[in-house]
């Protein structure tokens, strides 16, 4: 019975911690992602991960663990957004729009969605044609946002090797995309 009481007390303490940190965490996340709904989702995910993985840790460790988890969730979100932004820039950006112009209905129409999907497919196919090390370097650096040192550690190679593989990957991707669409290089250089 004593063990059950201790588990209930731990659960109550964790719930009290989460209730107390929620509003501050959403404000912090919102400042970084600039969207309340996204910030709330990231905070909720961080709370779930803390509960699943670290609930049995001492209560004084919860705060730093929670904010480390939240920081990592925000970093993951930024990496995904960075890739989405690259695809949007390549498929929609023509340089004609004024910076900061916000349409009432900013959702892309069917034609734009099709072009975006086609471009994403072309990029995916081109990345798939890269040699293994170049592909790995490109994905770690450009898509995952890892530093040269972090990518080198993951790949088990020197930082210079990561730089070389990444440079070659970018060069090869330009070639492959230009072969697929000769106007791509001109468009990319204007953007």
């Amino acid at each position: 019975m004593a063990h059950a009481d201790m588990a209930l007390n731990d659960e109550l303490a964790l719930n009290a911690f989460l209730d107390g940190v929620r509003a501050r965490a959403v404000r912090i996340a919102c400042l970084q992602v600039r969207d309340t709904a996204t910030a709330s989702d990231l905070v909720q995910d961080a709370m779930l991960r803390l509960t699943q993985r670290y609930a049995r840790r001492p209560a004084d460790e919860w705060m730093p663990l929670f904010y480390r988890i939240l920081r990592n969730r925000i970093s993951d979100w930024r990496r995904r957004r960075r890739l989405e932004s690259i695809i949007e820039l390549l498929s929609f950006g023509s340089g004609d729009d004024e910076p900061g112009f916000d349409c009432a209905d900013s959702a892309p129409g069917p034609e734009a969605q099709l072009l975006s999907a086609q471009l994403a497919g072309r990029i995916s196919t081109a990345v798939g044609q890269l040699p293994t090390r170049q592909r790995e370097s490109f994905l770690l650096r450009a898509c995952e946002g890892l530093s040269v040192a972090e990518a080198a550690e993951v790949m088990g190679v020197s930082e210079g090797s990561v730089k070389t593989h990444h440079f070659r990957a970018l060069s090869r991707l330009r070639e492959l995309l230009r072969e697929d669409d000769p106007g791509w290089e001109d468009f990319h250089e204007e953007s």
Side-chain angles (χ1 to χ4, degrees):
M1 187 68 171
H3 182 66
D5 288 340
M6 189 168 26
L8 180 59
N9 287 338
D10 290 346
E11 186 177 330
L12 292 173
L14 182 59
N15 286 338
F17 167 76
L18 295 174
D19 287 342
V21 77
R22 181 185 320 268
R24 292 189 314 268
V26 169
R27 280 193 300 271
I28 288 169
C30 193
L31 288 171
Q32 296 193 40
V33 301
R34 301 186 188 276
D35 179 68
T36 305
T38 301
S40 294
D41 289 345
L42 292 170
V43 168
Q44 186 67 29
D45 188 47
M47 289 178 164
L48 181 62
R49 287 176 189 256
L50 179 76
T51 302
Q52 291 172 336
R53 296 184 181 163
Y54 302 106
R56 293 194 171 117
R57 296 296 270 290
D60 61 337
E61 293 182 14
W62 291 339
M63 184 75 72
L65 284 169
F66 171 75
Y67 279 109
R68 190 173 312 127
I69 293 167
L70 181 59
R71 185 189 72 209
N72 290 340
R73 297 303 301 138
I74 292 169
S75 294
D76 292 345
W77 177 84
R78 283 187 176 144
R79 287 182 195 121
R80 283 191 308 274
R81 276 300 300 148
R82 189 178 310 133
L83 182 59
E84 290 168 2
S85 295
I86 290 169
I87 291 171
E88 286 175 17
L89 175 66
L90 292 174
S91 61
F92 301 122
S94 65
D96 296 337
D97 297 334
E98 294 180 30
F101 180 72
D102 188 18
C103 297
D105 181 11
S106 61
E111 184 177 317
Q113 289 175 349
L114 176 62
L115 290 173
S116 180
Q118 289 172 343
L119 178 62
R122 288 181 23 228
I123 292 171
S124 178
T125 300
V127 169
Q129 292 176 4
L130 295 173
T132 303
R133 288 290 188 175
Q134 289 179 18
R135 182 175 53 247
E136 186 177 20
S137 177
F138 173 77
L139 292 172
L140 291 173
R141 297 277 294 127
C143 298
E144 294 300 320
L146 270 58
S147 69
V148 172
E150 291 168 331
E153 185 177 332
V154 169
M155 293 174 66
V157 298
S158 70
E159 291 182 23
S161 183
V162 169
K163 290 177 185 178
T164 300
H165 289 306
H166 189 242
F167 175 79
R168 289 178 181 166
L170 292 174
S171 297
R172 183 66 181 138
L173 286 171
R174 283 187 192 104
E175 290 173 16
L176 290 169
L177 292 170
R178 185 175 44 241
E179 289 170 7
D180 189 38
D181 180 4
W184 184 85
E185 184 74 18
D186 297 332
F187 169 75
H188 179 65
E189 289 177 357
E190 291 174 8
S191 298

